[in-house]
Amino acid sequence: MRILISNDDGVTAPGLAALHAALVDYAECVVIAPDQDKSGASSSLTLDRPLHPQTLANGFISLNGTPTDCVHLGLNGLLAQTPDMVVSGINLGANLGDDVLYSGTVAAALEGRFLGNTSLAFSLLSRQPDNLPTAAYIARRLVEAQSRLQLPPRTVLNVNIPNLPLEHIRGIQLTRLGHRARAAAPTKVVNPRGKEGYWIAVAGDAEDGGPGTDFHAVMQGYVSITPLQLDRTFNDAFEQLDGWLEGLL
Ligand code: MN
């Protein structure tokens, strides 16, 4: 098994090192990660300049691009052998509900969707690294178990881990995505030379976070696993749209 590891917090992030350390004696691991924090990059590709991979002293490959660039190159020619599986993270911070739209952590996993093995995205519900060992242990267990998993291609597992020591984790729950409320307005700032700008605010709170959702599971101390698929077609809208389009053209 050859595993391509990436993230969106950047190649020097502690979550990336923790994930690599958890998997390195299980499989042949290659790390390709952005040279800076690309959180919020979603599935963006860099098309306006060339990408330059740089191998660091620890063997990780740093790329001046996005998480999707990293996995895209990793699966399409950069490596001597194509990886079998993509694992992303461990992100410091939740990727719950609407977060998956913006998440570079989830995006890196999604870029592995053509592989036979289901890609995994891992996020810890903390900006601090204290409970990374919890997340790393769970990542290792799930990556090992993945060999028994037969999901269709273009499926990703979005895994969120509560910010707890391992002995306080109550188990694993399969969940659906909840929803967040709208974020607060961006904060207006002025730089020392008088130029105005905006800091985008943190994500909104859970608005749909009841039982069955990813929000609820992690709040109750469970690891949340939400299976994601690329197809976002809203099949239930077809009937209404059929009526709406009748006689239009
Ligand atoms: Mn991130």
Side-chain angles (χ1 to χ4, degrees):
M1 171 75 86
R2 273 185 296 274
I3 298 179
L4 173 56
I5 299 173
S6 193
N7 77 344
D8 74 356
D9 290 345
V11 73
T12 61
L16 184 71
L19 184 58
H20 177 260
L23 300 179
V24 72
D25 68 340
Y26 172 71
E28 193 183 313
C29 294
V30 178
V31 179
I32 311 176
D35 61 357
Q36 50 184 287
D37 188 341
K38 299 300 277 184
S39 295
S42 189
S43 287
S44 52
L45 286 170
T46 300
L47 303 175
D48 60 347
R49 56 189 166 82
L51 298 167
H52 300 289
Q54 254 194 312
T55 303
L56 307 180
N58 63 0
F60 292 7
I61 298 171
S62 171
L63 192 73
N64 58 330
T66 66
T68 300
D69 291 329
C70 292
V71 177
H72 190 82
L73 286 195
L75 299 192
N76 298 289
L78 183 65
L79 305 175
Q81 288 174 303
T82 308
D84 303 302
M85 180 185 185
V86 174
V87 181
S88 176
I90 299 164
N91 191 63
L92 287 186
N95 276 308
L96 300 164
D98 302 42
D99 298 342
V100 304
L101 277 179
Y102 307 103
S103 171
T105 307
V106 174
L110 272 172
E111 192 61 16
R113 66 190 175 278
F114 303 109
L115 300 178
N117 297 284
T118 300
S119 301
L120 302 168
F122 293 99
S123 303
L124 176 68
L125 266 79
S126 176
R127 300 281 170 202
Q128 304 304 323
D130 307 54
N131 285 313
L132 272 177
T134 305
Y137 175 82
I138 287 158
R140 169 64 182 254
R141 297 285 293 159
L142 289 175
V143 168
E144 282 174 354
Q146 189 276 155
S147 59
R148 294 185 280 107
L149 188 62
Q150 288 284 318
L151 288 173
R154 299 185 177 80
T155 311
V156 165
L157 298 185
N158 184 36
V159 185
N160 280 274
I161 296 120
N163 184 31
L164 296 169
L166 187 60
E167 61 269 25
H168 293 159
I169 296 284
R170 295 172 68 187
I172 299 177
Q173 282 186 359
L174 281 177
T175 60
R176 68 172 176 87
L177 295 179
H179 293 287
R180 286 191 186 275
R182 287 172 65 166
T187 303
K188 202 168 179 175
V189 293
V190 184
N191 84 2
R193 279 158 292 281
K195 186 177 171 128
E196 291 183 348
Y198 297 89
W199 274 113
I200 289 182
V202 296
D205 292 330
E207 193 170 65
D208 167 20
T213 67
D214 48 0
F215 288 99
H216 193 264
V218 292
M219 288 310 140
Q220 301 297 313
Y222 291 91
V223 174
S224 164
I225 299 184
T226 308
L228 303 177
Q229 58 182 358
L230 188 66
D231 184 357
R232 295 221 298 251
T233 310
F234 183 19
N235 289 294
D236 289 350
F238 273 69
E239 196 180 333
Q240 197 187 336
L241 287 170
D242 260 343
W244 175 65
L245 286 172
E246 211 178 301
L248 205 73
L249 206 67

